[in-house]
Amino acid sequence: DKKFTFPPLNPETITPDEIRQRVAEAGIVGQGGAAFPTYVKLSPPKDKIIDVVILNGCECEPYLTRDYRFMLERPDELISGLKLIMKALGVKRGIIGIEDNKPEAIKILSHKVEYEDGIEVISLKTKYPQGAEKMLIKAVTGKEVPPGKLPMDVGAVIQNIGTAIAIHDAVVKGEPLTIAALTVSGLGIRNPKNLYVPVGTPIQNVIDYCGDVTEDSVKIIVGGPMMGVAQYDLHAPVMKATSGILVLTEKEVSENVETPCLRCGQCVDACPLNLMPTKLARYTQLKRYEDADGIGIAVCMECGTCAFTCPANIPLVQWIRLGKQKVLQMKKERAAK
């Protein structure tokens, strides 16, 4: 529990290299859930020309309101963090993309950036999965990231709202990332809250702090309901990118019986990346990992839209996730030979 801080740095005089070094030393990772090292995102290859930084203020998963509270309560630190990201990348244009179901956040931040050169707030249509990097880039800039490519291939870098604030805190306050901001919600928790929680805190402690679960609670998920992971051991710790702890009741969880695929194509229509989820899942079941790789299993972002729309209740995301792991393992074994 010892508190450690770095010497604060002046955001006006700090150099791009100093920003990257501080971000690395502070252990900052992406707050959107993937926990990708932020230092790496701020260090693109020399041949990649970045022309825009986009802050993801969509928070499109149900229940989660952590980023929304950040936008309402810490707008100045948010903009400071965005400027530091832009400075580290040598970029003159910054965009904060916010879904239109958060009008108060749009209003506050639009007012704050009114006199900021090169920074704007864009209101986006509320839809899932708007917050996914490739979806957000298309909505904000009109550019499409090719399959298998990264946002930097179209000149964009995406950062989460919480990541920008963590960068501000690391540079201006000298605070390393040792605390996770998260939403505790769901009908199964007695006192829903948005909290700052020290990394490493057992999930059970957080639930106890919020008044414990109700008698009809049946499932606990870390993350959002679409992309989160169900928990069976509440001694598991809160991690840096833990965005939420959801306690769901029987009303919120549908445990429908899985039936054979209907070949209806609803999952194909729903996939935001134009993949064939049913085929990817089937190839995984048949252990045909080469074929799964050939039709783009590695491209899947595991948003859960396919499983949500499937009338046969097939756990498509779980199969695809397993297939991705097997494909990665297969490629590593080949590279080692």
Side-chain angles (χ1 to χ4, degrees):
D1 289 333
K2 287 183 181 176
K3 189 167 184 179
F4 173 86
T5 56
F6 300 102
L9 300 170
N10 186 340
E12 300 298 327
T13 58
I14 193 172
T15 66
D17 283 339
E18 286 173 333
I19 295 172
R20 285 189 283 268
Q21 183 181 354
R22 175 55 58 88
V23 166
E25 290 173 342
I28 297 173
V29 299
Q31 301 287 291
F36 191 77
T38 302
Y39 166 78
V40 177
K41 269 195 176 182
L42 297 184
S43 309
K46 296 256 192 295
D47 61 329
K48 304 293 183 186
I49 307 301
I50 308 301
D51 51 37
V52 63
V53 172
I54 303 172
L55 284 194
N56 177 8
C58 293
E59 198 164 42
C60 55
E61 283 233 39
Y63 293 95
L64 303 184
T65 54
R66 176 199 68 169
D67 290 347
Y68 178 60
R69 297 310 310 176
F70 268 149
M71 289 186 278
L72 296 186
E73 296 176 26
R74 301 190 67 188
D76 293 323
E77 292 94 328
L78 168 58
I79 293 164
S80 169
L82 174 56
K83 287 181 179 177
L84 287 165
I85 295 167
M86 292 167 64
K87 192 170 190 177
L89 292 166
V91 172
K92 300 297 183 188
R93 186 184 182 206
I95 298 172
I96 306 171
I98 308 173
E99 287 190 338
D100 56 15
N101 64 348
K102 304 173 181 65
E104 193 64 24
I106 293 170
K107 179 181 173 184
I108 289 172
L109 284 167
S110 296
H111 175 70
K112 291 285 184 182
V113 304
E114 197 171 349
Y115 301 106
E116 297 284 354
D117 288 336
I119 299 178
E120 61 180 312
V121 173
I122 293 183
S123 175
L124 302 169
K125 181 181 176 182
T126 300
K127 63 178 180 178
Y128 182 83
Q130 186 88 268
E133 286 189 333
K134 294 181 180 182
M135 306 298 108
L136 186 56
I137 291 169
K138 178 73 185 295
V140 169
T141 68
K143 295 178 180 178
E144 288 196 29
V145 181
K149 298 293 184 180
L150 297 171
M152 64 177 66
D153 290 306
V154 295
V157 165
I158 312 291
Q159 294 286 9
N160 184 264
I161 294 293
T163 310
I165 290 175
I167 291 172
H168 164 86
D169 290 345
V171 172
V172 178
K173 297 181 180 178
E175 295 178 354
L177 184 60
T178 59
I179 289 177
L182 54 87
T183 298
V184 186
S185 188
L187 296 178
I189 194 77
R190 295 187 189 281
N191 301 307
K193 300 174 186 291
N194 279 304
L195 300 172
Y196 284 119
V197 179
V199 171
T201 303
I203 294 170
Q204 184 67 64
N205 290 28
V206 182
I207 290 172
D208 291 343
Y209 182 79
C210 294
D212 206 357
V213 302
T214 59
E215 291 76 14
D216 57 345
S217 59
V218 295
K219 183 175 283 192
I220 294 176
I221 294 174
V222 167
M226 296 295 286
M227 297 183 71
V229 179
Q231 298 297 300
Y232 65 90
D233 184 358
L234 298 186
H235 291 98
V238 167
M239 296 185 287
K240 289 183 180 182
T242 300
S243 56
I245 297 174
L246 306 182
V247 185
L248 307 181
T249 63
E250 293 174 355
K251 292 179 185 176
E252 299 164 286
V253 177
S254 59
E255 297 287 356
N256 295 318
V257 178
E258 181 183 343
T259 61
C261 176
L262 308 173
R263 306 285 182 184
C264 65
Q266 285 192 41
C267 62
V268 179
D269 290 339
C271 179
L273 296 176
N274 301 312
L275 299 173
M276 293 182 284
T278 181
K279 207 163 188 178
L280 292 171
R282 190 67 182 140
Y283 279 154
T284 300
Q285 290 169 332
L286 297 172
K287 299 183 180 179
R288 291 169 58 180
Y289 307 125
E290 290 269 11
D291 293 327
D293 189 33
I295 61 169
I297 195 168
V299 176
C300 172
M301 60 184 174
E302 302 172 24
C303 68
T305 311
C306 56
F308 185 79
T309 58
C310 178
N313 305 305
I314 300 169
L316 294 166
V317 179
Q318 283 88 332
W319 282 114
I320 293 171
R321 191 174 285 160
L322 175 63
K324 286 173 73 175
Q325 292 172 356
K326 294 295 185 181
V327 166
L328 187 60
Q329 183 183 340
M330 179 182 71
K331 289 180 177 179
K332 281 182 178 177
E333 287 171 356
R334 278 186 189 161
K337 288 179 181 177

